Amino acid sequence: MSSDFTAGERPESDLTARARVRDAALTQFAEHGFKGATMRGIAEAAGVSLGLVQHHFGSKDALREACDAFVVEAFRHRLTRSAADGTLGEPGFMADLYETSGPLLRYLARALVDDSPAAATVFDQLAAGAEAFLSETWPDRFPAGSTAAREAAAVMAAMHSGTVVLHGHLARRFEFDPLDRANTTRIGKAMLDLYAAMGEFATSSTAERIRESANAYDDPNGEPR
Amino acid sequence: MSSDFTAGERPESDLTARARVRDAALTQFAEHGFKGATMRGIAEAAGVSLGLVQHHFGSKDALREACDAFVVEAFRHRLTRSAADGTLGEPGFMADLYETSGPLLRYLARALVDDSPAAATVFDQLAAGAEAFLSETWPDRFPAGSTAAREAAAVMAAMHSGTVVLHGHLARRFEFDPLDRANTTRIGKAMLDLYAAMGEFATSSTAERIRESANAYDDPNGEPR
DNA sequence: TTGTGAACAATACAATTGTATTGTCGTTGG
DNA sequence: CCAACGACAATACAATTGTATTGTTCACAA
């Protein structure tokens, strides 16, 4: 509640010990995974004793739940705000997120592949936001509540999350320091270029052939429903 | 070398014990992560003793390296083949991959976020394939060897990998069993629909405004170089 | 003042886990 | 025939790790 983890620089010392432990846990979980992170490692990173970590959170599972709740709340804030001004569908949204709250996103990336319930919640919110964006922008193609909108939004959420979860590999290919700011906008621009090109591909005859072969796979008899 | 892990059904019993241990390790590592998986769990899943796992692979790290090498080789095969017939850029490629070699992909998904060297190799091959696809399809927009091609390809690799790494969440939103075949094609079709729509967005005036604001961020002075 | 409880630390303990050691059995090469 | 070697198993061992226990300090209310 009272951590400025999401806002750029943090004093690191004026935080309550409990908040410092939670922040350290977020980083350790993100870096080594839930199993890989240790209570003692978290305590050391937070500059407190092992006993204090237990005193405030009880168990390792409870600590994870606290981290999950914190991340869910932080992203809910962020997502509702971006959904309000309609920037959620923009390709730069994810890159921007990574800039302002790196540790949070790295934790979320881990949680997404460990499929913790918190990650599912955030992903669902992301997909819901994407669905709203698609339905508002193209009401004809993605009617609100349609499965077309729902499925396209899910894919959009997965693909855009991919640029976050795989941010390390992306950075290696871009040849810049993954922690360096002012470089994440290049990812957003590359996404726009890619979308522009692949948009043509998706409406080409080649793509149409792919769609048909996919239909044939879904329905081998080729009969109309 | 002699495992048909990548080909649909596997007899599970006519494999050499060493291969069965490797296959079990792939599944266990994919399911619980490297730290979370245990030697004893792998031995039990393979139906052998703990001692045999050590006898064949020496240590847990060596076992991971063996898994890495196997996965890299399997994907190299698959990618070079798909690059040959030009299907690598098609949105259904990833979904198709998931169908035919699910355990392999789940292992790769874990490796990608644990950033093992093997995952980096596969991702680089994926990005290289995507770059070739882009440069061949749009030589004007993505000239071979240009940074535009390189960066767009990296983003494409990350986004498409996202549909694999986050396949569990995708399946939850699609409301079908992630292990069920004949459903992954719907992901490919949704990707085409999304690309078609976002392609228009990427060429809209809104996107152009985004590009400009990104440029301003890169170069606050706005001065020409 | 006193005592009550929270913040914080140090230690003890049992379970897990990777690895080393030792042993058995079947095959194979001389 | 037998020695050697690899496949395979059982056990032992030390290190790590989560958690329980106990103790200390200090603020604050009665």
Side-chain angles (χ1 to χ4, degrees), chain B residues 190-211:
Chain B
M191 281 177 72
L192 283 177
D193 293 340
L194 180 65
Y195 269 132
M198 289 300 288
E200 296 179 10
F201 177 85
T203 55
S204 70
S205 59
T206 307
E208 201 52 44
R209 200 199 54 214
I210 295 173
R211 282 179 210 264

Side-chain angles (χ1 to χ4, degrees), chain A:
Chain A
M1 289 284 190
S2 60
S3 163
D4 44 6
F5 209 144
T6 68
E9 315 307 323
R10 57 210 146 97
E12 173 79 27
S13 55
D14 67 342
L15 291 174
T16 133
R18 182 187 158 93
R20 251 186 310 145
V21 170
R22 175 175 36 67
D23 287 358
L26 280 170
T27 303
Q28 295 284 307
F29 284 152
E31 196 161 347
H32 307 109
F34 178 69
K35 274 286 199 179
T38 73
M39 292 276 128
R40 287 168 177 82
I42 292 170
E44 190 180 8
V48 301
S49 74
L50 169 62
L52 193 61
V53 179
Q54 306 181 77
H55 175 68
H56 280 300
F57 295 94
S59 72
K60 192 182 182 183
D61 277 287
L63 178 53
R64 193 239 288 263
E65 285 170 22
C67 289
D68 279 3
F70 180 77
V71 170
V72 166
E73 177 58 22
F75 276 95
R76 194 193 56 76
H77 246 86
R78 186 73 188 247
L79 288 181
T80 53
R81 206 190 59 188
S82 287
D85 47 12
T87 61
L88 207 155
E90 299 179 359
F93 171 70
M94 281 292 180
D96 194 46
L97 247 185
Y98 202 90
E99 260 187 47
T100 54
S101 43
L104 276 249
L105 270 190
R106 282 189 283 275
Y107 177 87
L108 182 65
R110 278 283 180 179
L112 276 171
V113 301
D114 292 351
D115 53 32
S116 83
T121 300
V122 173
F123 187 87
D124 283 347
Q125 289 175 352
L126 218 48
E131 187 171 345
F133 170 80
L134 292 176
S135 292
E136 286 172 13
T137 313
W138 297 279
D140 48 335
R141 258 179 285 189
F142 304 111
S146 65
T147 68
R150 180 181 181 81
E151 297 190 349
V155 168
M156 183 170 169
M159 294 204 307
H160 287 212
S161 298
T163 65
V164 171
V165 174
L166 306 176
H167 191 271
H169 296 276
L170 219 39
R172 173 166 40 81
R173 284 246 125 200
F174 270 65
E175 288 165 345
F176 63 66
D177 179 14
L179 300 179
D180 190 6
R181 315 182 147 223
N183 270 112
T184 49
T185 59
R186 285 167 60 195
I187 295 180
K189 290 168 70 177
M191 282 178 72
L192 283 177
D193 293 341
L194 180 65
Y195 269 131
M198 289 300 288
E200 296 179 10
F201 176 84
T203 55
S204 70
S205 59
T206 306
E208 202 51 44
R209 201 198 54 215
I210 295 174
R211 280 180 211 263
E212 284 171 10
S213 68
N215 283 335
Y217 190 82
D218 282 349
D219 187 12
N221 302 334
E223 60 191 359
R225 94 199 48 178

Side-chain angles (χ1 to χ4, degrees), chain B residues 75 94-95 97-99 101-110 164:
Chain B
F75 275 95
M94 281 292 180
L97 247 186
Y98 201 89
E99 261 188 45
S101 42
L104 275 256
L105 270 191
R106 281 190 282 276
Y107 177 86
L108 182 65
R110 277 284 181 179
V164 170

Side-chain angles (χ1 to χ4, degrees), chain B residues 31 88 157 176 194 196 224:
Chain B
E31 197 161 346
L88 208 155
F176 63 69
L194 180 65

